[in-house]
Amino acid sequence: MSDESDLDLAHRLADLAGEIAMGHVAAGVGEVRTKSDGSPVTPADRRIERELRELVARERPRDAFTGEEFGSRGHNPRRWIIDAIDGTRSFLSGEPEWGTLIALAQEDRVRLGLVRAPALARRWWAVPGGGAWTVADRGAVGRSESPRRLSVTATGRLDRASVGIWPPPRRIADHIRPAAAELAAVAGRAIPALDWTGRDSATPTPPKPSTGSGTCHGGLLVATGRLDAFLLVGAGPWDIAALVPIVREAGGAFSDLAGRDRYDTGAALFSNARVHDEALGALRTG
């Protein structure tokens, strides 16, 4: 399949997900359940993933599929990796910073990434070598405005960089928290501004770095030039994979905390390419 054909399918998957999600917003989200990791899941999460699985099975019957709610299907080197609703807590609270994350990987390399945030009326996408793009999302893609190319910041030093970190300290595993605290300590500014050592456990949960930004994921803050770096920990591959080509095609860098090109190790560092190695060094020191 060509990148154009796969990208067209990704846009159609995103359209379907948005239609379902906004229908649930209008009708009420329904019964909310708590998963084993303490995160909420709604009927919209489950319905979106089921219907996207069905669409991929019809259009790409040989492709494998991995989703947050129902796990993995198939063993083909081509694998769709989807988070039906990234930011379910925002979805439930009526905040607009939630969206559907869609990635296509081949031989563990992400070949396509697309994010659609229906409540923000915007989408972002990239394929390797094609640039990273965004467009206002009112109706079919590209009809309301011309897509705009994304670009990361040019900040060259970590002590002058704005760095987002998520989740807050009390939700970060003990063995990772010192690394997050070290990154926050050496960055010019850490967002949110917290005691990242976790000693202040009584601090109320702060808003995500993306709250009020017009994006639904911290990695998009890097790709759109609003943050110099973003550290995400305790994440699944569906939280990370779609952002990899978007950040890289915007001129940025991605790795796990060991510096590897892996989206399945539970943590991700997105940054402009100039501060990436320094940020990794801080994480390793921690």
Side-chain angles (χ1 to χ4, degrees):
M1 296 292 175
S2 68
D3 285 344
E4 292 81 5
S5 176
D6 288 329
L7 183 58
D8 175 72
L9 176 55
H11 280 299
R12 288 190 286 126
L13 289 166
D15 291 341
L16 176 58
E19 179 183 343
I20 295 168
M22 295 306 286
H24 279 261
V25 169
V29 297
E31 180 186 2
V32 179
R33 300 178 183 176
T34 301
K35 296 189 287 189
S36 59
D37 63 0
S39 64
V41 60
T42 72
D45 293 88
R46 297 189 292 272
R47 181 181 168 194
I48 290 169
E49 185 172 319
R50 281 195 298 267
E51 296 205 20
L52 267 54
R53 282 176 179 268
E54 291 172 3
L55 180 53
V56 169
R58 289 196 302 271
E59 301 262 346
R60 302 288 191 275
R62 296 183 179 180
D63 288 0
F65 191 106
T66 294
E68 180 176 10
E69 307 308 331
F70 300 113
S72 294
R73 178 200 71 205
H75 301 284
N76 192 287
R78 284 172 48 96
R79 178 174 297 276
W80 295 86
I81 305 166
I82 290 177
D83 189 348
I85 297 180
D86 178 68
T88 302
R89 287 186 174 91
S90 295
F91 179 73
L92 288 169
S93 67
E95 297 172 355
E97 283 88 2
W98 53 270
T100 298
L101 311 185
I102 299 169
L104 174 61
Q106 185 159 1
E107 302 289 358
D108 296 322
R109 300 281 293 182
V110 185
R111 302 299 305 166
L112 176 157
L114 187 148
V115 179
R116 185 186 183 202
L120 293 169
R122 184 154 292 275
R123 69 179 75 197
W124 305 259
W125 70 91
V127 294
W133 303 88
T134 185
V135 72
D137 194 18
R138 297 176 182 89
V141 63
R143 290 186 182 172
S144 57
E145 67 175 33
S146 296
R148 175 175 58 84
R149 193 159 188 163
L150 305 181
S151 181
V152 299
T153 66
T155 304
R157 289 174 44 176
L158 190 57
D159 63 0
R160 297 178 179 175
S162 294
V163 178
I165 304 174
W166 196 255
R170 66 174 174 268
R171 287 169 49 194
I172 295 178
D174 291 345
H175 69 286
I176 301 260
R177 195 180 302 120
E182 180 64 20
L183 178 62
V186 299
R189 182 169 67 124
I191 303 169
L194 299 171
D195 176 3
W196 284 96
T197 64
R199 288 188 288 266
D200 187 7
S201 59
T203 302
T205 299
K208 296 190 298 183
S210 58
T211 300
S213 70
T215 74
C216 64
H217 192 290
L220 291 173
L221 295 176
V222 175
T224 56
R226 303 179 190 195
L227 281 179
D228 299 300
F230 175 65
L231 172 66
L232 177 64
V233 298
W238 41 81
D239 298 306
I240 296 170
L243 280 299
V244 174
I246 297 175
V247 171
R248 284 178 167 164
E249 287 297 310
F254 156 78
S255 74
D256 70 3
L257 302 197
R260 299 170 296 185
D261 185 10
R262 295 279 301 273
Y263 56 80
D264 59 350
T265 62
L269 176 65
F270 299 101
S271 73
N272 79 34
R274 301 181 69 185
V275 301
H276 197 82
D277 287 345
E278 191 178 357
L280 272 179
L283 291 166
R284 289 166 176 163
T285 300

